[in-house]
Amino acid sequence: MDEILSKQHYRRTFFGAVALVLALALIVRFFVIPYFDSAQKLTGAALFGSLLDNLVVSLLLAVFIGAFVFWLKPDIVKRSAIEVIEPKQINPLLKSATSATRSWIFKGACGRYTRATTIPKLAEAARADGIGRDITICVLNPMNDSLCSEYATYRRSLKSGKSGTAWTRQVVQEEILATALTALKFRFSEPLLRIRVFFVDHFSAFRLDIADQYVVITKEEKEASALRADAGTYFYDSYKDDVRLTERQSREMTCCGNIEFSGQIDEMKLREAIKCADLFQEVRLGEINLARVLSCVNAPSDPY
C-alpha cells in the first residue's frame, strides 16, 4: 500500500479503481439485491447507520494494528528504510529538493545534470531566499587519460551510449571540463553559493545526489530505476560518509585568483579559467574541442 500511495500515477489508478468498485457495490446493494429480495431493501438512513458502525470498528482495528506493527518493528529497520524510484520520477524528485535544501552533494562521472539543472536552480533558490547554499561536486579527473578512456568504454557499452555523440576519452574530458567551468562561473558570479569541486581517480556505475532531505542514487541509463534514502536513515548517513572518504582521496579544484565572469564565456575566458584552475594541461588543449565545451557551458541541456 505504501508503494502504491507514494507514486502519483499509481495513486490515481488506485483511487479510480476503488471509486468504481464502490459505485458498483452501491448499485448492486440498493437496486439489484432488493429486486430479487424485497426484504433486503435498504434506506439511506439505514445504510448510513451501518456504514458509521463499521467505520468505528474499522478505525479501532486500524489504530490497534498500526500501533502493534510500529512497536513490533525493530529500530534498525525503521532507520534503514530505502525506496525504489521509477525512472520518470527521478527528475521531479531531484528538482523538488533544490528549492528547500541548504546543501547539495553530487558524486558521479561528468556531472551533466548538475551543471545544467542543479547549480542554476540552487543559485535561483539562494537569490530568492537570500540564504547561501553549499555545493560539493565530485567528478572524474580530466587529466587522467586512462580513467577517462575506461569510462568512455563503459558508456559505449550501455544502451544509452548507442545514440547521440559517441563517447570517447576526449568527449568525457570535455564534459568534465564543462562542469568544472560552470562551477567556477557560478562560484565567482553568485556570492551566495560556495562550490567545491573534487577530481576523482576512479569511477562507479552509480551516481549520488544528496540534498538535506534525501539522497538519490541513480545509474547512467535513463530507463534504470533509482534508490532514495531519507535524511536520518542509516543509508543516508552512510552515503554522506562515502563522499567524505572520496574527498580525502581526491584533488580539490583551486583557483589562482578571482575570475570575472560576465554573460556567456568566450574562448579567451575559457582558456584563462582552465589555466587558472589547473583543469587541464595547457599544451594539450589542442586535443579538446573547445567549441563544444563552450556550448556545454553556455547552453547546457538537461540529460533527463
Side-chain angles (χ1 to χ4, degrees):
M1 184 61 71
D2 288 343
E3 289 293 323
I4 293 175
L5 295 180
S6 63
K7 296 177 173 58
Q8 185 177 8
H9 58 288
Y10 285 165
R11 194 162 55 237
R12 290 201 203 100
T13 304
F14 174 74
F15 284 122
V18 169
L20 180 61
V21 171
L22 181 60
L24 290 175
L26 291 174
I27 292 173
V28 171
R29 184 64 185 88
F30 270 97
F31 301 105
V32 178
I33 294 179
Y35 177 80
F36 294 101
D37 185 358
S38 58
Q40 297 293 327
K41 188 174 182 180
L42 192 64
T43 63
L47 175 63
F48 179 76
S50 177
L51 289 176
L52 192 60
D53 292 340
N54 292 331
L55 176 62
V56 172
V57 174
S58 300
L59 182 61
L60 291 175
L61 285 174
V63 171
F64 174 77
I65 294 173
F68 178 75
V69 171
F70 175 80
W71 292 112
L72 190 64
K73 184 183 294 184
D75 289 340
I76 187 65
V77 175
K78 297 175 186 176
R79 295 177 53 247
S80 302
I82 196 162
E83 179 185 357
V84 177
I85 305 299
E86 295 195 357
K88 57 185 175 182
Q89 292 181 302
I90 297 174
N91 194 11
L93 185 65
L94 293 174
K95 287 181 178 178
S96 66
T98 56
S99 59
T101 188
R102 295 292 183 268
S103 65
W104 194 282
I105 300 172
F106 170 78
K107 178 187 174 185
C110 299
R112 294 183 301 158
Y113 181 85
T114 301
R115 73 165 180 262
T117 303
T118 305
I119 296 178
K121 283 193 170 294
L122 288 171
E124 181 181 343
R127 289 193 299 269
D129 297 342
I131 299 175
R133 266 57 171 179
D134 295 327
I135 305 173
T136 300
I137 302 171
C138 298
V139 291
L140 303 185
N141 182 0
M143 290 194 281
N144 189 330
D145 289 349
S146 60
L147 175 69
C148 293
S149 296
E150 285 292 330
Y151 181 73
T153 302
Y154 167 71
R155 287 304 305 267
R156 289 196 301 270
S157 70
L158 301 178
K159 181 180 178 181
S160 59
K162 306 301 181 184
S163 58
T165 304
W167 284 92
T168 63
R169 172 178 61 82
Q170 290 83 357
V171 169
V172 173
Q173 291 169 328
E174 290 161 8
E175 294 285 354
I176 299 168
L177 290 175
T179 299
L181 288 165
T182 300
L184 273 179
K185 175 183 175 181
F186 277 87
R187 177 196 287 184
F188 290 119
S189 60
E190 298 285 346
L192 290 178
L193 295 185
R194 183 170 62 182
I195 305 177
R196 302 176 68 192
V197 179
F198 293 87
F199 297 117
V200 186
D201 285 305
H202 63 271
F203 75 88
S204 169
F206 298 98
R207 300 171 299 196
L208 303 179
D209 283 279
I210 307 177
D212 291 343
Q213 306 92 321
Y214 44 74
V215 54
V216 180
I217 304 98
T218 55
K219 291 194 69 176
E220 298 292 350
E221 288 288 2
K222 293 182 180 180
E223 300 176 0
S225 298
L227 297 176
R228 165 182 169 170
D230 290 337
T233 61
Y234 172 79
F235 288 108
Y236 179 89
D237 295 336
S238 297
Y239 284 120
K240 292 196 75 171
D241 283 342
D242 179 70
V243 174
R244 291 190 185 97
L245 293 175
T246 298
E247 292 175 7
R248 291 174 61 91
Q249 303 171 66
S250 306
R251 176 176 67 91
E252 184 173 1
M253 180 180 70
T254 58
C255 196
C256 60
N258 290 333
I259 305 176
E260 293 185 4
F261 290 95
S262 177
Q264 293 193 336
I265 299 177
D266 56 19
E267 183 173 335
M268 183 179 297
K269 182 64 66 175
L270 174 70
R271 289 179 176 273
E272 177 190 353
I274 290 177
K275 180 180 180 180
C276 182
D278 191 23
L279 300 179
F280 201 73
Q281 299 95 325
E282 190 173 4
V283 295
R284 295 181 55 201
L285 280 181
E287 303 174 13
I288 300 297
N289 185 343
L290 297 182
R292 185 175 182 277
V293 176
L294 285 172
S295 176
C296 291
V297 174
N298 294 324
S301 59
D302 188 337
Y304 283 114

